[in-house]
Coordinates of all heavy atoms in Angstrom, one line a residue:
Chain A
F265 N 9.2 42.0 24.4 CA 9.4 42.3 23.0 C 8.9 41.1 22.1 O 8.7 40.0 22.7 CB 10.8 42.6 22.7 CG 11.8 41.6 23.1 CD1 12.3 40.6 22.2 CD2 12.3 41.6 24.4 CE1 13.3 39.7 22.7 CE2 13.2 40.6 24.9 CZ 13.7 39.7 24.0
P289 N 14.8 22.5 32.1 CA 14.2 23.6 32.8 C 13.1 24.3 32.1 O 12.8 25.5 32.3 CB 15.4 24.6 32.9 CG 16.2 24.3 31.6 CD 16.0 22.9 31.3
H300 N 7.7 28.6 30.0 CA 8.8 29.2 30.8 C 10.0 28.4 30.5 O 10.0 27.2 30.4 CB 8.4 29.0 32.3 CG 7.2 29.8 32.7 ND1 7.2 31.0 33.4 CD2 5.9 29.5 32.5 CE1 6.0 31.4 33.6 NE2 5.2 30.5 33.1
H301 N 11.1 29.1 30.5 CA 12.4 28.4 30.4 C 13.5 29.3 31.2 O 13.5 30.5 31.1 CB 12.9 28.4 28.9 CG 14.1 27.5 28.8 ND1 14.1 26.1 28.7 CD2 15.4 27.9 28.7 CE1 15.3 25.7 28.6 NE2 16.1 26.7 28.6
I302 N 14.3 28.5 32.0 CA 15.3 29.2 32.7 C 16.6 29.1 31.9 O 17.0 28.0 31.6 CB 15.5 28.5 34.1 CG1 14.2 28.4 34.8 CG2 16.5 29.3 34.9 CD1 13.5 29.7 35.1
L303 N 17.1 30.3 31.5 CA 18.2 30.3 30.5 C 19.5 30.9 31.1 O 19.4 32.0 31.7 CB 17.7 31.2 29.3 CG 18.7 31.4 28.2 CD1 19.0 30.1 27.5 CD2 18.2 32.5 27.2
L304 N 20.5 30.2 30.8 CA 21.9 30.7 31.2 C 22.4 31.5 30.0 O 22.7 30.9 28.9 CB 22.8 29.5 31.6 CG 24.3 29.9 31.8 CD1 24.4 30.8 33.0 CD2 25.0 28.6 32.1
L305 N 22.7 32.8 30.2 CA 23.3 33.6 29.1 C 24.8 33.4 29.0 O 25.4 32.9 30.0 CB 22.9 35.0 29.3 CG 21.4 35.4 29.2 CD1 21.2 36.8 29.6 CD2 20.9 35.1 27.8
N307 N 27.1 35.4 29.3 CA 27.8 36.2 30.3 C 27.6 35.7 31.7 O 28.1 36.3 32.7 CB 27.4 37.7 30.3 CG 25.9 37.9 30.6 OD1 25.2 37.0 31.0 ND2 25.4 39.1 30.4
G308 N 26.9 34.5 31.9 CA 26.8 33.9 33.2 C 25.5 34.3 33.9 O 25.2 33.7 35.0
R309 N 24.8 35.2 33.4 CA 23.5 35.6 34.0 C 22.4 34.6 33.7 O 22.3 34.1 32.6 CB 23.1 37.0 33.4 CG 21.9 37.6 34.1 CD 21.6 39.0 33.5 NE 20.4 39.5 34.0 CZ 19.7 40.5 33.5 NH1 20.2 41.1 32.4 NH2 18.6 40.9 34.0
V310 N 21.6 34.3 34.7 CA 20.5 33.3 34.6 C 19.2 34.1 34.6 O 18.9 34.8 35.5 CB 20.5 32.2 35.7 CG1 19.4 31.2 35.5 CG2 21.8 31.5 35.7
I311 N 18.4 33.9 33.6 CA 17.1 34.7 33.5 C 16.0 33.7 33.2 O 16.2 32.6 32.8 CB 17.1 35.7 32.4 CG1 17.4 35.1 31.0 CG2 18.2 36.8 32.6 CD1 17.2 36.0 29.8
E312 N 14.8 34.2 33.5 CA 13.6 33.4 33.2 C 12.9 34.0 31.9 O 12.7 35.2 31.9 CB 12.6 33.4 34.3 CG 11.4 32.6 34.0 CD 10.2 32.8 35.0 OE1 10.4 33.6 35.9 OE2 9.2 32.1 34.9
L313 N 12.7 33.1 31.0 CA 12.0 33.5 29.8 C 10.5 33.1 29.9 O 10.2 32.0 30.3 CB 12.5 32.9 28.5 CG 14.0 33.2 28.1 CD1 14.3 32.4 26.9 CD2 14.2 34.7 27.9
K314 N 9.6 34.0 29.6 CA 8.2 33.7 29.6 C 7.8 33.9 28.1 O 7.8 35.0 27.6 CB 7.3 34.6 30.5 CG 7.7 34.4 32.0 CD 6.9 35.4 32.8 CE 7.4 35.4 34.3 NZ 6.8 36.5 35.1
V324 N 8.0 37.7 24.0 CA 9.0 37.3 25.1 C 8.9 38.3 26.2 O 8.8 39.5 26.1 CB 10.5 37.5 24.6 CG1 11.5 37.1 25.7 CG2 10.7 36.6 23.4
E325 N 8.8 37.8 27.4 CA 8.8 38.6 28.7 C 9.9 38.1 29.5 O 10.0 36.9 29.8 CB 7.4 38.5 29.4 CG 7.4 39.4 30.6 CD 6.1 39.2 31.4 OE1 5.1 38.7 30.9 OE2 6.1 39.7 32.6
T326 N 10.7 39.0 30.0 CA 11.8 38.6 30.9 C 12.3 39.9 31.6 O 11.7 40.9 31.6 CB 13.0 38.0 30.0 OG1 14.0 37.5 30.9 CG2 13.6 39.0 29.0
E327 N 13.4 39.7 32.3 CA 14.0 40.8 33.1 C 14.6 41.8 32.1 O 14.8 41.5 30.9 CB 15.1 40.3 34.0 CG 14.5 39.4 35.1 CD 15.6 38.4 35.5 OE1 16.7 38.8 35.8 OE2 15.3 37.2 35.5
K328 N 15.0 43.0 32.6 CA 15.6 44.0 31.7 C 16.9 43.4 31.2 O 17.7 42.9 31.9 CB 15.8 45.3 32.5 CG 16.2 46.4 31.6 CD 16.3 47.7 32.4 CE 16.6 48.9 31.4 NZ 16.9 50.1 32.1
L329 N 17.1 43.6 29.9 CA 18.3 43.1 29.2 C 19.1 44.2 28.6 O 18.4 45.2 28.1 CB 18.0 42.0 28.2 CG 17.1 40.9 28.6 CD1 16.7 40.0 27.4 CD2 17.8 40.0 29.6
E333 N 22.5 41.2 25.4 CA 21.7 40.1 26.0 C 20.4 39.9 25.2 O 20.0 38.8 24.9 CB 21.4 40.5 27.4 CG 22.6 40.3 28.4 CD 22.3 40.9 29.8 OE1 21.4 41.8 29.9 OE2 22.9 40.4 30.7
K334 N 19.8 41.1 24.8 CA 18.6 41.0 24.0 C 18.8 40.3 22.6 O 18.0 39.4 22.2 CB 18.0 42.4 23.8 CG 16.6 42.3 23.1 CD 16.0 43.7 22.9 CE 14.7 43.6 22.1 NZ 14.2 44.9 21.6
E336 N 21.1 38.1 22.1 CA 21.4 36.6 22.4 C 20.0 35.9 22.6 O 19.8 34.8 22.1 CB 22.3 36.5 23.6 CG 22.7 35.1 23.9 CD 23.6 34.9 25.1 OE1 24.1 35.9 25.6 OE2 23.9 33.8 25.4
V337 N 19.1 36.6 23.4 CA 17.8 35.9 23.6 C 17.0 35.8 22.3 O 16.4 34.8 22.1 CB 17.0 36.8 24.7 CG1 15.6 36.3 24.7 CG2 17.7 36.6 26.1
I340 N 18.4 32.9 20.4 CA 18.1 31.6 21.1 C 16.6 31.2 20.9 O 16.3 30.1 20.5 CB 18.5 31.7 22.6 CG1 20.0 31.6 22.7 CG2 17.8 30.5 23.3 CD1 20.5 31.9 24.1
K412 N 22.4 26.1 37.2 CA 22.8 27.3 37.9 C 21.5 28.0 38.3 O 20.6 28.2 37.5 CB 23.6 28.2 36.9 CG 24.2 29.4 37.6 CD 25.1 30.2 36.7 CE 25.6 31.5 37.4 NZ 26.4 32.3 36.6
P413 N 21.4 28.5 39.5 CA 20.1 29.0 40.0 C 19.8 30.4 39.4 O 20.7 31.2 39.1 CB 20.3 29.1 41.5 CG 21.7 29.1 41.7 CD 22.4 28.4 40.6
L414 N 18.5 30.6 39.2 CA 18.0 31.9 38.8 C 18.3 32.9 39.9 O 18.2 32.7 41.1 CB 16.4 31.8 38.7 CG 15.6 32.9 38.1 CD1 16.0 33.0 36.6 CD2 14.2 32.5 38.3
N415 N 18.8 34.1 39.4 CA 19.3 35.1 40.4 C 18.4 36.3 40.6 O 18.8 37.3 41.2 CB 20.7 35.5 40.2 CG 21.0 35.7 38.7 OD1 20.0 35.8 37.9 ND2 22.2 35.7 38.3
S416 N 17.1 36.2 40.1 CA 16.2 37.3 40.3 C 15.6 37.3 41.7 O 15.5 36.2 42.3 CB 15.1 37.3 39.3 OG 14.3 36.2 39.4
R419 N 11.0 36.7 42.7 CA 10.4 36.1 41.5 C 9.2 35.2 41.9 O 9.2 34.5 42.9 CB 11.4 35.3 40.8 CG 10.8 34.4 39.7 CD 12.0 33.6 39.1 NE 11.4 32.6 38.2 CZ 11.2 31.3 38.5 NH1 11.4 31.0 39.7 NH2 10.7 30.5 37.6
T431 N 13.6 26.6 38.8 CA 14.4 27.7 39.3 C 15.9 27.7 38.8 O 16.7 28.5 39.2 CB 14.4 27.8 40.8 OG1 14.9 26.6 41.3 CG2 13.0 28.1 41.3
K432 N 16.3 26.7 38.1 CA 17.7 26.5 37.6 C 17.7 26.3 36.1 O 16.8 25.7 35.5 CB 18.3 25.4 38.4 CG 18.6 25.6 39.8 CD 19.4 24.5 40.4 CE 19.7 24.8 41.9 NZ 20.4 23.6 42.5
S433 N 18.9 26.7 35.6 CA 19.1 26.5 34.1 C 19.6 25.1 33.9 O 19.9 24.4 34.8 CB 20.2 27.5 33.7 OG 21.4 27.2 34.3

Side-chain angles (χ1 to χ4, degrees):
Chain A
F265 54 98
H300 297 255
H301 188 82
I302 309 300
L303 178 67
L304 173 63
L305 295 172
N307 61 7
R309 186 179 174 195
V310 181
I311 60 170
E312 180 190 4
L313 298 179
K314 296 175 186 172
V324 180
E325 182 183 345
T326 187
E327 299 149 48
K328 192 174 180 186
L329 305 173
E333 288 173 333
K334 186 180 174 188
E336 187 177 352
V337 168
I340 287 171
K412 188 172 177 187
L414 190 66
N415 39 16
S416 65
R419 167 180 174 267
T431 58
K432 288 184 175 178
S433 64

